[in-house]
Amino acid sequence: FDCVLWAGGRRSLDDGLRKALRCEAEVSEAARVLVFQFKDMDAQGSVHYDLAHGAIQATKWQGFKVLLRPGIKGVCDGWLWLFGLPPDAVAVRPAKGLGPATTFTEAVRRVVEPEGSGADALIVAAELFQSKIRSAECTARWVDAAFWAAARWLSETPAMRIQRSPSLQRIVELDMSSP
């Protein structure tokens, strides 16, 4: 083959194979993030709004950054990743057996210790998200997020190396069946 294109996630290839192909993953420092999954948006709800700027104005916390990811039909309408959290915001485990919250605010209250200015800023930000997105179902969870990239984007793949990897072997087989 002249070229095999691999597009996969950070852990789609094991570290040993990445090393053999000289395309090890480079990972940035992890950041603590709140991830909201929202569903059943009201007809008046919208994600077409600068939510980070709105959260900064509403809370006076300058560190907020927002990343919106589109949802998957039948699963959710989307995910909102809230970066730049106040350092004094304390995570708590939500009570077991609870279903999804009905608002962003309720979701954040389930996972944040209520005392302190960090919690106040997160609750105000969640109220803003709810007022704009207007979802009827929401969950929140803490994540240690990091950005990653392959150290090299181009690597030679001798046939004997491909044979050792079931993932790459599947790609080779797919490529061989294509006209």
Side-chain angles (χ1 to χ4, degrees):
F1 302 99
D2 292 332
C3 177
V4 175
L5 176 65
W6 179 263
R10 176 177 164 196
R11 292 181 178 88
S12 62
L13 297 176
D14 65 59
D15 291 339
L17 180 59
R18 281 190 181 278
K19 186 172 183 169
L21 296 174
R22 296 178 301 172
C23 62
E24 293 93 343
E26 294 178 344
V27 183
S28 70
E29 198 171 300
R32 189 173 62 141
V33 186
L34 259 179
V35 178
F36 297 89
Q37 179 177 316
F38 57 93
K39 185 176 178 181
D40 298 333
M41 285 176 59
D42 181 283
Q44 304 301 330
S46 175
V47 294
H48 304 289
Y49 181 78
D50 186 348
L51 295 168
H53 184 72
I56 289 167
Q57 283 187 319
T59 65
K60 309 298 185 240
W61 178 255
Q62 298 299 309
F64 284 141
K65 293 179 184 157
V66 172
L67 171 71
L68 280 170
R69 296 193 65 180
I72 300 169
K73 188 174 178 114
V75 175
C76 69
D77 293 328
W79 291 270
L80 184 150
W81 291 60
L82 183 59
F83 293 84
L85 305 179
D88 61 341
V90 178
V92 296
R93 289 187 187 268
K96 291 190 179 203
L98 292 176
T102 57
T103 65
F104 279 82
T105 310
E106 181 186 348
V108 81
R109 286 182 189 277
R110 290 180 179 184
V111 297
V112 175
E113 177 65 44
E115 302 301 319
S117 60
D120 293 342
L122 293 175
I123 290 166
V124 170
E127 289 169 351
L128 172 83
F129 302 152
Q130 183 62 35
S131 73
K132 300 299 179 186
I133 297 173
R134 298 184 184 187
S135 68
E137 188 174 298
C138 187
T139 59
R141 63 188 168 100
W142 293 91
V143 172
D144 288 325
F147 294 99
W148 70 275
R152 287 182 40 171
W153 294 12
L154 182 63
S155 180
E156 293 180 23
T157 54
M160 59 190 298
R161 281 197 200 138
I162 292 174
Q163 298 301 324
R164 285 189 230 151
S165 168
S167 300
L168 286 176
Q169 181 64 37
R170 276 186 240 122
I171 288 177
V172 171
E173 289 169 1
L174 288 171
D175 191 39
M176 290 172 62
S177 66
S178 300

